[in-house]
Amino acid sequence: MEFHTSELLLTGSNTKTTINDLKGSVVIVSFFQTWCGPCIQEMYVFDEMLASVNSSNFKILCITDEDTNRINKLQSRFTPDKIMFAFSLKSLASLGIHVYPTTYLLNKKGEVIQSKLEGYNWMLEKETIKNLLAE
């Protein structure tokens, strides 16, 4: 999928990265917009999941193409350094993302295991994530 190699800018640290750089970790990737209610609800679940799963090999990356000031304002509502927020240099529409949130669960190889649209309670996948971490 094209979004694996699309260049991202991590907000807060201004570090350039790609989703492929996170291989070796189990990753939830969520494409979001700051105005999207289900996106924000999903992020609160992510915060809870990170505490619950408690593994340095489990990462959550939230990506938008919105202005970084809006991202920073949203990011300040969550535990610092837990959820990674990133600005996509390409528009989400150009990456084929048209529904928010569009969220993927990736295994350590970067393969998509699940995808969900319009918000999901990812706590329901806690066992799946623990199994992927154990692989």
Side-chain angles (χ1 to χ4, degrees), residues 72-85:
N72 292 338
K73 198 187 290 183
L74 176 65
Q75 191 170 357
S76 67
R77 292 164 56 179
F78 298 94
T79 315
D81 304 325
K82 286 278 191 195
I83 299 175
M84 298 183 298
F85 285 85

Side-chain angles (χ1 to χ4, degrees), residues 2-3 6-8 29-35 39 62-66 86-102:
E2 191 185 332
F3 67 76
S6 186
E7 200 166 82
L8 305 170
V29 179
S30 179
F31 292 92
F32 77 97
Q33 299 287 290
T34 57
W35 48 260
C39 300
C62 295
I63 302 169
T64 186
D65 54 5
E66 286 183 274
F87 170 73
S88 174
L89 301 179
K90 288 186 174 175
S91 76
L92 297 189
S94 76
L95 296 175
I97 309 291
H98 302 285
V99 176
Y100 303 107
T102 295

Side-chain angles (χ1 to χ4, degrees), residues 7 9 13 22 37 46 55 78 89 103-104 111 116 124 132:
E7 200 166 82
L9 192 62
S13 64
L22 298 174
F46 293 159
S55 167
F78 298 94
L89 301 179
T103 309
Y104 298 96
E111 298 163 336
K116 304 285 181 188
L124 299 173
L132 290 172

